[in-house]
Amino acid sequence: MNRPARRNAWIATTVAAVALAAVAVLIVRRSGEEAASAGEAEMETMPGMAGMEMDPEAGTIRLTADQVRTFGVTFATVERRPIERTIRAVGVVDFDETRMAYVAPKFGGFIERLYIDFTGQPVSRGQPLLEIYSPELVSAQEELLLARRLAERVGASGVEGVAAGSTDLLESARRRLRYWDISEAQIERLLASGEVRKTLTLHAPVAGIVMEKNVFEGQAVRAGDNLYMVADLSRVWIEAELFESDAGIVHAGMPATIEVAAYPGRTFSGTVEYVYPTLEERTRSMKARISLVNPGGRLKPGMYATVRLDRQLGEAVAIPRSAVLQTGEAAIAFVDIGGGRLVPRELTLGLAGGEFVEVLDGVEPGDRVVTSAQFLLDSESNLAEVMRAMMAQMGLSDVGGMEMEGMEGMGGMDGMDPDPARPAPDTGAMRGMEMPRREE
């Protein structure tokens, strides 16, 4: 083939390649537009979505009456209502510290006899506990009798101040015995008999149960030794453990209901007497002290108890708990805006009580909110957002502007070489060449 023929063949090949590239671009663009149209149609009838329609408003979905029945969607109306908060806590029965007493003599001596000789024995106020011999006590009795005799002898004396001095001495001896917790009745018996007793009896200061016994017959005791601990169990305390989130709700004076496993089906009523001012750092809990009557001593210190506290929080804008969908980052509710359209609203929640939760922002009284099937609606709403974003990206892609790269090597196609004396066409200029768009 001569030189002119080879040149003409090279030009024809180049034109054919450009035409093929243009046809390929048109085919790709047409396929993309058809795929976008098919995607829009498929979104409306996607399997599993039961024909849900996407509203132009972000995240809004539309349901027909049949779909509402199929999905089991129910509604509730937002309204102002009283909110009651019920707090449940665990507690332990404990002694009422104001009704506990130790028996500790104020003088030393030796135990001659025990009337209360085992732990757990009930005692009444003033009941004899033990007899004790004390040299100090014997000396004090002798001083009392001596002062009484002296007062009788000099009582009629005409010397100024003698009679008054003897009276003061007698009163001082009586006061010394009273300071040692010797009862007035015992002092009068001593004065009436005129005889010093070897032992004196110590009595129970309060009624209750002997919870500690640290004394035996014949034991030597010192002044201040704790011999008995007596606790009155007619009233007890419950030390309840409360969560940190309840710290602002519980206060002194609140009524409390107590249940224990020992008496199933029976409740005891008490009152919060004190809320401790500090929290346990390890458990992040706080304590509240509940005082209650203990009829028959049924509640035993150490028992576990279940405590229920009820608090009226006043009126507030509230919705059912079932209407709130926790997404992990926010709380939302689906609000009916009419025409079968449901839109998600982000909520600012307040205190929760019972079946309702306070809403500070997000909905208003009179709004209708979805109370069931929220997870299904949320998934459909999120899927609608994703598909809408995909459609937007497909609509913005410019397949017509695709660069026709890699065509530089077409010059040597089929072994046909261009005329070395003639410059080759500038194929780089074809890269920015735009093919005509399809007319809509």
Side-chain angles (χ1 to χ4, degrees):
M1 182 180 294
N2 56 22
R3 183 180 298 272
R6 286 201 305 270
R7 181 182 303 147
N8 292 336
W10 180 84
I11 294 174
T13 303
T14 302
V15 172
V18 172
L20 288 174
V23 172
V25 170
L26 290 176
I27 292 174
V28 171
R29 179 178 177 83
R30 184 180 299 274
S31 299
E33 293 176 349
E34 291 176 354
S37 300
E40 293 177 359
E42 186 178 358
M43 282 184 63
E44 298 182 356
T45 57
M46 185 175 294
M49 298 179 67
M52 280 188 182
E53 297 181 6
M54 294 182 299
D55 197 271
E57 185 177 349
T60 304
I61 58 178
R62 181 176 297 174
L63 297 177
T64 65
D66 290 338
Q67 291 167 349
V68 170
R69 288 190 296 269
T70 301
F71 297 147
V73 181
T74 57
F75 298 89
T77 303
V78 181
E79 57 184 354
R80 293 188 62 87
R81 62 171 59 245
I83 298 180
E84 180 180 358
R85 177 77 172 270
T86 298
I87 301 171
R88 293 187 178 274
V90 296
V92 179
V93 181
D94 202 353
F95 297 102
D96 184 340
E97 294 178 3
T98 64
R99 295 171 178 265
M100 299 171 61
Y102 277 102
V103 178
K106 296 178 173 63
F107 49 85
F110 301 86
I111 305 303
E112 294 286 329
R113 181 179 178 184
L114 292 179
Y115 294 105
I116 303 299
D117 54 2
F118 63 88
T119 303
Q121 189 170 350
V123 296
S124 57
R125 184 183 181 87
Q127 181 176 342
L129 297 176
L130 56 82
E131 288 186 3
I132 183 172
Y133 162 70
S134 170
E136 297 177 76
L137 197 55
V138 171
S139 298
Q141 293 179 76
E142 291 175 344
E143 290 177 5
L144 176 63
L145 294 178
L146 180 61
R148 200 267 304 270
R149 288 195 296 268
L150 180 61
E152 290 175 349
R153 290 176 182 177
V154 300
S157 174
V159 179
E160 184 179 355
V162 173
S166 63
T167 303
D168 292 343
L169 183 61
L170 176 61
E171 182 59 30
S172 175
R174 294 172 67 101
R175 188 183 307 114
R176 183 181 183 186
L177 291 175
R178 284 197 297 266
Y179 287 167
W180 281 349
D181 295 333
I182 305 303
S183 68
E184 197 67 35
Q186 289 175 301
I187 296 174
E188 292 300 329
R189 284 196 298 268
L190 174 62
L191 292 173
S193 65
E195 296 180 359
V196 175
R197 296 188 58 184
K198 177 183 176 183
T199 62
L200 282 180
T201 304
L202 298 185
H203 298 81
V206 296
I209 306 297
V210 176
M211 305 306 302
E212 294 181 14
K213 172 182 169 293
N214 303 312
V215 62
F216 300 91
E217 288 188 1
Q219 179 178 341
V221 297
R222 295 171 299 180
D225 286 347
N226 291 325
L227 307 184
Y228 295 98
M229 193 274 279
V230 182
D232 181 4
L233 297 181
S234 61
R235 294 187 69 91
V236 293
W237 287 349
I238 304 290
E239 297 285 353
E241 294 277 349
L242 305 174
F243 290 113
E244 183 178 358
S245 58
D246 299 325
I249 299 176
V250 179
H251 61 84
M254 287 183 64
T257 303
I258 293 92
E259 297 178 352
V260 294
Y263 305 101
R266 178 167 183 175
T267 59
F268 300 84
S269 299
T271 305
V272 177
E273 278 195 346
Y274 183 72
V275 179
Y276 287 80
T278 58
L279 268 68
E280 293 286 343
E281 293 186 2
R282 183 175 58 85
T283 61
R284 305 306 303 169
S285 63
M286 55 177 274
K287 285 186 178 182
R289 179 192 304 159
I290 301 167
S291 177
L292 67 159
V293 178
N294 186 21
R298 292 184 176 88
L299 298 177
K300 316 295 183 185
M303 280 184 172
Y304 285 108
T306 301
V307 179
R308 189 180 77 238
L309 302 170
D310 297 321
R311 170 76 185 276
Q312 297 292 335
L313 303 177
E315 285 196 354
V317 177
I319 62 175
R321 285 176 180 265
S322 58
V324 180
L325 179 63
Q326 297 288 353
T327 64
E329 297 180 355
I332 66 171
F334 282 90
V335 179
D336 182 7
I337 58 177
R341 292 177 300 166
L342 305 176
V343 61
R345 296 269 182 86
E346 185 172 341
L347 306 177
T348 302
L349 301 180
L351 296 174
E355 298 297 324
F356 295 88
V357 60
E358 179 185 8
V359 179
L360 303 177
D361 188 32
V363 293
E364 298 293 336
D367 289 345
R368 293 182 72 219
V369 293
V370 176
T371 58
S372 63
Q374 294 98 320
F375 287 101
L376 175 61
L377 298 179
D378 185 50
S379 63
E380 300 297 345
S381 176
N382 292 336
L383 181 58
E385 286 293 318
V386 173
M387 296 302 293
R388 185 179 288 104
M390 292 174 60
M391 290 171 59
Q393 292 178 2
M394 292 172 63
L396 292 174
S397 61
D398 189 6
V399 296
M402 293 174 60
E403 295 182 355
M404 299 173 64
E405 297 180 353
M407 298 185 66
E408 292 85 350
M410 296 179 65
M413 188 165 49
D414 295 332
M416 296 184 296
D417 296 329
D419 186 357
R422 183 182 183 88
D426 185 10
T427 56
M430 299 173 63
R431 295 193 185 114
M433 192 159 93
E434 253 184 58
M435 302 304 297
R437 298 181 179 273
R438 184 174 67 87
E439 295 294 332
E440 298 295 340

